[in-house]
Every structure is written in C-alpha cells, then in structure tokens.
Amino acid sequence: MRTSSFLAAISLLASSSLVLAQTPAQACNGYPSLCAKPYSEVSYATTHNAYAYTPPGALAANQDNDIPTQLKDGIRAFMLDAYMPPSGATNDIELCHTSCSLLDAGPLSKVLGQMKTFMDANPNEVITIFWENAGNLAPAQFQTVYTAAGLSDYIYTQPVGNTTWPTLASMIASKKRLVNFIDDGADASVPWLMEEYNFVFETPYAILKGAPYPCTVDRPKDQRKQLYVLNHFISSSINVGGQTADLPQPGLAAQTNGPDLVGHINDCQGVFSQNPTYVAVDFYEKGQILQLVAQLNGVTYTGKGATQPSTTTSAGGKVQSSFAGALVAGALGLLTL
Ligand SMILES: *[C@@H]1O[C@H](CO)[C@@H](O)[C@H](O)[C@H]1NC(C)=O
C-alpha cells in the first residue's frame, strides 16, 4: 500500500511537472516579452472616438467596428467623448460626437459592460481609456457608471509625479489593469480618473487631408510629458450653408493607416527620441496599425488581422438628413474632432 501510494505520488509529481513544462509563458497584451516592460514603455493601438461606429456609414463616424470587436482585434486604448444623457439622468453618461443630435452612440454603461466582459475573459490584458469631457461632467458621475459596471476593482491609479510605472506583469498580477485619463475636469475626489496632461502629451489632432503630419507638442501647450499620443487621423472640410464641418475620411484610411502612418511614426520618433505610447487612428481595421504597434513593441505581430466590417450601405438617407438637419439647425458651428 505504502509503496504503491508513494509510486502514485511520484507519478503525480512527474505528470504535474510535465504540465508545468508545457504551460506556455505568460503573455501580456498578447506577447510574453511585454510582461517585464513598464506600462510607460509599451505602445498601444488606440481608436480615436472609439464609440463613433454607429449608425453604420454615418458621415461623422470615426470607426466601423464596435468596441467588443476592437478589443478582440487588439485595440488597447480607447478615446471616448462624455456627454450628459439627453434624459438628464446622472447615473449614466452618453457617448456622442460633437453633439448628441449629430451622433449619439448610446450610453456608457453599455460600453463599460462590454469592457468588463472582455477584461473578465482576458485576464492578461491592460486597457486604457482617454476621456474627452465634452459635457463638463463631474468625476463623480464617471465613478457612478464605472462602479455600476463592476469595473472598480480593475482600475489602476498612478501617483502624480511618479514616473516609474508598474510592469504589465505586475498590473496583471494585481488585477489593476484599467488606466483612465481625462482631459478636463479631473478632481482629487476621484483620483483614478487621472488628469491626462500630468502624464501625457498629444501631437496635434486637427489634420486636414493632404496636409503634413505634425510632430509637435499640442496639448498641454509646449509641454513634453512622459507618455505621448500620436494623433494620426485626418479630415476634410466641407461647407454646408455657410457652416464648416470636418469629416473623417474612411476612403483614404488604408493609405492613412498604412504608408502615411509609417512616415508619421518615423518622423515623431526622430523629433521626440521616443516611441509613441498611444497610436490613435480612425477606421483602425484599414492599413497596418496592429502590425506597426507590434513593431514598436519589438515583437512580431501574431494576431489574426483586424476584422473587416461586413459591407454595409454607405451613409444612409436617415443619417445624411439628420446630419444636414443638425447643420441647418445651427446646432453646429465647427464640427469638432
Ligand atoms: C512609483 O510607482 C511604482 C510603481 O507602482 C512603485 O513601485 C513606486 O514605489 C512608486 N514610487 C514612489 C516614490 O511612490
């Protein structure tokens, strides 16, 4: 008995070490070699106006794929615009582009629910959200929606002035792997909603089609920070009844997010002697952003490629007429990015 249970224990040990030997190395944001890197030294594929994919073909849309698809494809930072819900309710936030009458992508609670689902199912992924606080909302309102979505335990807070960021592996081990920045209105009562410009600078974002891609410090004005956003998306100005609107350019996205992006990254690496931390694009599934970000991270892209949207109609009549309606109503001066 004793001998056989001893043998059984030995064989158990042997088989478990066999299992251990076969366990692949932990991957962080998809790659084992990123685990030891500080958050600040990794580059992240970022979607500008990540929520603005609906309705399909909207003239003001910046993306084609929804947030779960973006996450699945490897987008790891998301630019979102916060507005007061049209109902006036303070227990949610509305995701709109320029105004909720132009493009209303629905409530934040839905998007945070999608993020929670992804983060639960993918415990080795570190995610960042950039807030444009267009509606001048109080940080407490964000806190309410994040808490209701069950994201509180995932939130990471970096102390202001501390330039030593944790490694991806340590953020993953602590489960604190959701980083949140806000461009305006941060306050000490909600420390996790971090004042973006304490940590991050951005290159200019209002790039017109055909204009050179700039590598200058736009926000905060003339101040370099530890991390940076390479804003790389273009628009074209149109004039409707004396009103100017800047429209995203899906038809050019393969060029914009392909050869143009290579050039812009190279130029800015030269100017700043630093990789962009966040590479922000429109229509991310066109061009090579995922491959280029992998290259910035020193890894060979192993993803399956970005999901191509199913062919939908181009701008539908309803969308066009509501867009024109918004313009005619004078709800818009300049359509902002
Ligand atoms: C800065 O943050 C790092 C990573 O979280 C931490 O290890 C370190 O102790 C912090 N340094 C200070 C001075 O707080």
Side-chain angles (χ1 to χ4, degrees), residues 153-154 156 168-177:
D153 289 345
Y154 283 145
Y156 175 75
L168 293 194
S170 100
M171 294 175 79
I172 287 164
S174 69
K175 301 190 167 59
K176 302 214 173 294
R177 50 194 174 86

Side-chain angles (χ1 to χ4, degrees), residues 219-301:
R219 294 176 297 174
K221 199 72 211 147
D222 300 326
Q223 282 182 58
R224 285 280 301 266
K225 297 287 167 179
Q226 184 183 14
L227 314 175
Y228 81 95
V229 175
L230 182 77
N231 281 311
H232 185 86
F233 41 86
I234 61 171
S235 59
S236 170
S237 266
I238 59 159
N239 195 298
V240 181
Q243 304 252 33
T244 309
D246 291 336
L247 297 182
Q249 300 293 301
L252 299 176
Q255 170 75 26
T256 306
N257 299 343
D260 291 3
L261 182 54
V262 173
H264 196 192
I265 289 173
N266 284 338
D267 288 351
C268 292
Q269 277 173 323
V271 169
F272 299 126
S273 305
Q274 178 186 353
N275 280 347
T277 323
Y278 313 96
V279 179
V281 300
D282 285 343
F283 313 109
Y284 77 91
E285 79 282 1
K286 307 281 196 299
Q288 283 86 43
I289 185 180
L290 300 170
Q291 292 80 353
L292 291 170
V293 165
Q295 210 173 313
L296 286 172
N297 285 328
V299 296
T300 304
Y301 177 68

Side-chain angles (χ1 to χ4, degrees), residues 63-82:
Q63 304 298 336
D64 292 315
N65 289 334
D66 62 14
I67 304 274
T69 306
Q70 295 180 31
L71 283 162
K72 177 176 76 65
D73 284 352
I75 298 299
R76 289 294 171 266
F78 300 82
M79 294 179 164
L80 303 177
D81 291 2

